[in-house]
Amino acid sequence: MADAASDGLAPIAAAILGPLGAPFRFALSEEQLASAQDYVTQQQRHGTRGLAASSCRTRAADWLTWLAFCAHYDRVVLPARFDDVRELLDQLVAAGRKKATLEHLLWSLADIHRRHGCPGPMDSAIARDYWRDLVREQLDGEQRQAAPMTLDLLDQLVTALLAHPLTVRRVAAGLRPVAEHAQRRRRARDAAMLHVAYDLMMRSAELVAMEWARLMPLPHGGATYRLGKTKTDQAGVGRTLYLRPATLAALDAWRTQSSQGEFVFHAISDDVHLDPAGAPSEAVGAQWQTRRERARQREQRPLGTREVSAVFRRAVSLAGLDLDLHWLTGHSARVGAAQDMVRAGSSTAQVQVAGRWASERMPIRYAERVLARDAGEDRFAKLAAMQRRRDRS
């Protein structure tokens, strides 16, 4: 069913039985089924998808949530009734889900209904009234912000990565040097990643997609990186960004230990340095050879986006810092860099350009505390100066 949702359609024949053995219920008309089939045919003929891969994945997750609800309560999957959607929304609100989560679920349901030629469950006037009441009385748009990784924190994390004693997991005595070597490589990679994430204010997806070929060292220190397609540059016009000399040094240190493949940041495996010639037996040597080849293939692929947050949190753990690890994420470098820029006197418009945001909304949100402090201090300093002038007169 996840595949069905990623295509934006529910294949009826493949979705007859739910997880409990009961059939899913559909009430699609012949005209709606024909419309859906025509859409699939046209999509296959033209090779179109219409949405980014991440959007397809999140829509699939929402669709599975709706399927699970329908299977549990024996409700019609398509077309969805407003009463049923309202019941699901009420349950999600009671479970503590945020406004953004509910908005995304409603977008996914509306998109899938549209592709089936069905009216959306929230298209009616009463549905819109319900949503306005829900937002006004039970929901708020406040979202918890990722913890900022400022330049000061970056220095602490990198120092911890490079200076903290190695702590390899329990391995056979003969394989301990291999595990320690992998740990050193991992720390060199993580240090370089932290530097790059801060300097380029990169999103997780941009970070793991970095390629060595786009990195150009400068004659007097530092480097530039040519960024291609991004979330806010779907046309791939590209941007040239600057890396500090310290960041280039970290990248150079990592490059000498990397797999020398296409991608800058890749997974690291202990097995890549197994030596079959040193195996205790011929059979074990053959196993090590197979494991080494698989590890080499794995190291040619980029990291997944989820690993970026794990890298940040591992570094915080090594540094022994008292931070809320749950909220140090792949966005933390963007938040911290935005706050540092504002502290240094940059405008939110300049932060917007540096971070490649589509508007000033996110820079303002990320730097909200800094901006509030500066505005408050400036306000009361001016009031104090006015009072002094008045007292002198």
Side-chain angles (χ1 to χ4, degrees):
M1 291 310 298
D3 292 338
S6 67
D7 290 336
L9 296 168
I12 308 303
I16 299 301
L17 292 181
L20 302 179
F24 284 114
R25 294 172 57 198
F26 293 89
L28 294 168
S29 67
E30 292 298 326
E31 182 180 356
Q32 289 167 340
L33 283 172
S35 175
Q37 186 58 53
D38 180 65
Y39 174 81
V40 170
T41 302
Q42 295 289 338
Q43 189 181 46
Q44 292 174 345
R45 183 198 305 174
H46 297 290
T48 60
R49 188 166 61 179
L51 295 174
S54 58
S55 297
C56 290
R57 286 192 295 270
T58 54
R59 185 183 59 185
D62 290 337
W63 179 237
L64 291 176
T65 297
W66 174 243
L67 283 178
F69 172 83
C70 292
H72 185 77
Y73 293 100
D74 190 27
R75 304 298 165 80
V76 173
V77 176
L78 280 173
R81 297 172 60 247
F82 162 64
D83 289 352
D84 296 336
V85 173
R86 173 178 178 169
E87 184 175 352
L88 173 59
L89 292 176
D90 289 342
Q91 290 182 11
L92 293 175
V93 171
R97 297 299 187 270
K98 299 294 185 181
K99 176 172 175 279
T101 301
L102 303 188
E103 286 177 329
H104 199 286
L105 173 66
L106 292 177
W107 169 82
S108 298
L109 290 177
D111 185 69
I112 291 173
H113 277 71
R114 177 178 60 83
R115 294 170 192 268
H116 280 85
C118 301
M122 301 297 289
D123 289 349
S124 66
I126 190 65
R128 291 192 292 271
D129 287 345
Y130 160 77
W131 178 250
R132 281 193 290 266
D133 291 346
L134 190 66
V135 170
R136 183 176 60 254
E137 298 170 6
Q138 299 188 55
L139 298 175
D140 61 65
E142 185 176 4
Q143 294 176 287
R144 188 167 181 179
Q145 182 175 285
M149 188 183 77
T150 60
L151 186 58
D152 289 341
L153 178 56
L154 169 65
D155 291 339
Q156 294 180 64
L157 298 183
V158 170
T159 299
L161 281 169
L162 300 181
H164 198 278
L166 296 176
T167 53
V168 300
R169 65 182 184 276
R170 188 178 301 172
V171 296
L175 296 179
R176 186 174 182 83
V178 175
E180 289 179 344
H181 182 64
Q183 187 69 268
R184 281 190 290 270
R185 295 177 68 217
R186 188 172 292 110
R187 294 203 183 169
R189 180 203 64 190
D190 292 356
M193 181 184 292
L194 293 175
H195 273 293
V196 171
Y198 180 87
D199 283 14
L200 303 188
M201 300 175 72
M202 276 188 157
R203 301 174 179 89
S204 296
E206 297 165 357
L207 197 59
V208 299
M210 277 189 69
E211 300 172 2
W212 289 112
R214 292 177 174 268
L215 183 68
M216 297 295 294
L218 297 173
H220 302 295
T224 60
Y225 183 79
R226 183 66 181 174
L227 193 64
K229 280 190 176 183
T230 65
K231 179 180 179 180
T232 52
D233 181 14
Q234 295 290 318
V237 175
R239 286 277 301 279
T240 299
L241 308 172
Y242 175 73
L243 294 158
R244 296 171 297 136
T247 301
L248 179 60
L251 282 168
D252 287 341
W254 159 234
R255 191 169 194 172
T256 61
Q257 304 177 60
S258 73
S259 67
Q260 305 293 319
E262 175 185 2
F263 297 101
V264 176
F265 301 116
H266 57 76
I268 292 174
S269 173
D270 297 5
D271 293 349
V272 79
H273 287 291
L274 284 175
D275 181 11
S281 68
E282 185 176 343
V284 173
Q287 294 176 0
W288 285 10
Q289 179 67 30
T290 301
R291 288 168 55 184
R292 184 172 68 175
E293 291 304 318
R294 289 176 178 171
R296 287 175 176 174
Q297 293 174 12
R298 182 168 173 252
E299 290 202 358
Q300 295 301 310
R301 299 191 293 269
L303 281 176
T305 54
R306 292 184 179 180
E307 185 63 22
V308 175
S309 295
V311 168
F312 281 47
R313 294 167 188 169
R314 278 199 302 266
V316 171
S317 179
L318 284 176
L321 299 177
D322 185 19
L323 289 179
D324 185 350
L325 297 185
H326 182 69
W327 289 103
L328 196 69
T329 72
H331 251 58
S332 292
R334 287 168 66 77
V335 177
Q339 293 183 2
D340 281 347
M341 287 186 68
V342 172
R343 288 192 188 96
S346 298
S347 68
T348 53
Q350 290 171 317
V351 176
Q352 175 195 341
V353 172
R356 305 171 304 285
W357 281 285
S359 70
E360 290 185 63
R361 184 176 68 87
M362 293 310 296
I364 290 173
R365 180 186 166 210
Y366 287 163
E368 183 177 17
R369 292 183 181 179
V370 179
L371 292 169
R373 183 203 64 192
D374 291 348
E377 290 178 352
D378 181 67
R379 170 192 171 193
F380 291 109
K382 289 178 178 178
L383 285 173
M386 181 185 70
Q387 290 173 335
R388 288 193 296 269
R389 289 194 299 270
R390 185 181 60 193
D391 293 342
R392 287 195 297 269
S393 63

